Amino acid sequence: IAVMADWGTMDVIQNQFITRNWEAIRSVRKPVLAAVAGFAFGGGCELALACDVIVAAHSAKFALPEIKLAMLPGAGGTQRLPRAIGKAKAMDMCLSARVLDADEADLYGLVSRVVPDDELHGATLALAERIAGYSLPALMAIKEAVNRAYESTLAEGVLFERRQLYTRFASEDAHEGMRAFLAKRPAEFKHR
């Protein structure tokens, strides 16, 4: 904030403030997990919102308090927050600088799960390992389909989802998964 206090419009335009690299996380095709403890305010909250899964410690607090500076969230907060928790809650947070604790964030659908602070690292890594144990092409298809839900109409999203499903039948991993299920054994995915 100390650096930004003297910037003008051309400063932020020429330096691509927030624009440069902030959306890079959304282009990662593999699932991206966030582990949040303590304050995730402003850009920290927006960074978490850009992730696919948010695991929050009990100490986590989320806010978009830019209104206190006569500013607004500019790294996707006004766009991703309503999609995560609904318009009314997002308006409340953005217009009043309301802070959500971890339990409220969980209740409103902002986070995927809440864990004790001392378990945050282990729980997030365990979740990442579980996800990584599945077929990468299937994970990428799911991520793309869920993201499509936010970017299109329901009819277009369902059509996209159906095409993703049909494509899975060309996958070695899908056939392995089904055969393993029928044989009551763990699947051995080759990510093909």
Side-chain angles (χ1 to χ4, degrees):
I1 295 173
V3 173
M4 295 186 297
D6 294 323
W7 285 354
T9 301
M10 286 311 296
D11 295 315
V12 293
I13 290 171
Q14 288 175 337
N15 291 317
Q16 295 181 320
F17 179 63
I18 294 178
T19 305
R20 184 183 57 224
N21 300 326
W22 269 87
E23 292 300 313
I25 195 166
R26 297 301 299 159
S27 66
V28 175
R29 294 181 67 199
K30 297 177 182 178
V32 178
L33 282 64
V36 179
F39 297 104
F41 285 13
C45 184
E46 290 174 297
L47 182 59
L49 284 166
C51 295
D52 300 310
V53 177
I54 302 172
V55 180
H58 284 293
S59 67
K61 296 196 182 322
F62 299 86
L64 292 174
E66 287 84 351
I67 190 64
K68 291 180 176 183
L69 306 175
M71 298 294 277
L72 72 144
T78 64
Q79 302 304 300
R80 291 189 180 103
L81 188 63
R83 286 169 167 88
I85 67 173
K87 178 185 174 189
K89 299 282 187 213
M91 281 287 196
D92 186 4
M93 285 182 69
C94 291
L95 296 175
S96 72
R98 179 178 176 189
V99 177
L100 296 184
D101 65 27
D103 291 329
E104 286 178 300
D106 188 29
L107 178 68
Y108 300 153
L110 178 63
V111 303
S112 305
R113 55 184 78 182
V114 178
V115 300
D117 282 56
D118 61 345
E119 295 176 19
L120 178 62
H121 186 260
T124 306
L125 283 178
L127 177 58
E129 287 173 5
R130 179 179 181 155
I131 291 169
Y134 294 119
S135 169
L136 179 58
L139 291 168
M140 290 170 27
I142 290 169
K143 177 176 174 168
E144 191 173 3
V146 171
N147 283 332
R148 185 63 61 105
Y150 287 109
E151 300 160 359
S152 64
T153 65
L154 177 60
E156 290 171 6
V158 169
L159 180 61
F160 181 83
E161 176 188 78
R162 192 79 27 84
R163 288 181 184 144
Q164 290 285 14
L165 172 66
Y166 292 170
T167 302
R168 300 304 322 129
F169 283 88
S171 160
E172 290 178 32
D173 283 351
H175 292 286
E176 165 60 14
M178 289 184 267
R179 288 183 185 115
F181 175 83
L182 293 171
K184 296 180 176 31
R185 63 170 173 78
E188 295 179 22
F189 297 121
K190 295 187 173 125
H191 308 294
R192 295 189 283 236

